[in-house]
Amino acid sequence: MSLKKGEYKLSPTGISIGGESIQISEINGFKRHLSITIPTYLVVHWDMPGLISKTAGAFSEYQINIAMLTITRESKGEKAIIVLEVDSQEKSAELINKIQTISGIHSASFFF
């Protein structure tokens, strides 16, 4: 499956595990095992110093607590993905817009 909105494209692979729940095994070629049961942000970016800090700072600016954060990269200096599970779905559109202004961010998505 492939989802596209404007210039942003998301290609998840997963399965339905029942009870209106899904389990994702891959996102845009990144091997990830996710069960999106709480508000979750996916941020694709270039692997470069300071980008994780800037991204986390955006969440702090909007007073959104990060419950879990994982990072995976293709290889040093290439594309990487940050998966952030958070405590709140409030201000998600505003936060996505903020994240996308950070230099080095390729795309940002929110799921709940």
Side-chain angles (χ1 to χ4, degrees):
M1 172 174 49
S2 184
L3 308 170
K4 187 174 181 180
K5 181 177 182 183
E7 63 186 63
Y8 300 105
K9 184 178 178 182
L10 182 67
S11 298
T13 302
I15 60 170
S16 172
I17 57 175
E20 298 182 13
S21 298
I22 59 169
Q23 187 171 53
I24 295 175
S25 58
E26 185 176 306
I27 302 167
N28 290 1
F30 292 95
K31 300 289 184 196
R32 298 294 319 148
H33 292 284
L34 303 170
S35 294
I36 300 179
T37 57
I38 67 171
T40 303
Y41 289 83
L42 304 175
V43 180
V44 179
H45 62 93
W46 292 108
D47 179 40
M48 53 195 270
L51 210 82
I52 296 165
S53 174
K54 290 176 185 174
T55 302
F59 284 82
S60 177
E61 182 179 323
Y62 283 88
Q63 298 293 302
I64 296 175
N65 189 51
I66 298 170
M68 186 276 306
L69 181 146
T70 59
I71 304 150
T72 302
R73 66 181 185 182
E74 292 175 343
S75 62
K76 185 177 179 179
E78 297 297 323
K79 279 189 181 175
I81 188 168
I82 306 171
V83 178
L84 302 108
E85 292 182 350
V86 299
D87 293 338
S88 171
Q89 64 182 2
E90 294 178 23
K91 304 178 185 173
S92 59
E94 297 161 24
L95 182 54
I96 288 289
N97 289 335
K98 172 72 174 181
I99 293 169
Q100 291 175 338
T101 67
I102 299 170
S103 179
I105 297 293
H106 182 266
S107 65
S109 307
F110 174 75
F111 300 91
F112 183 65

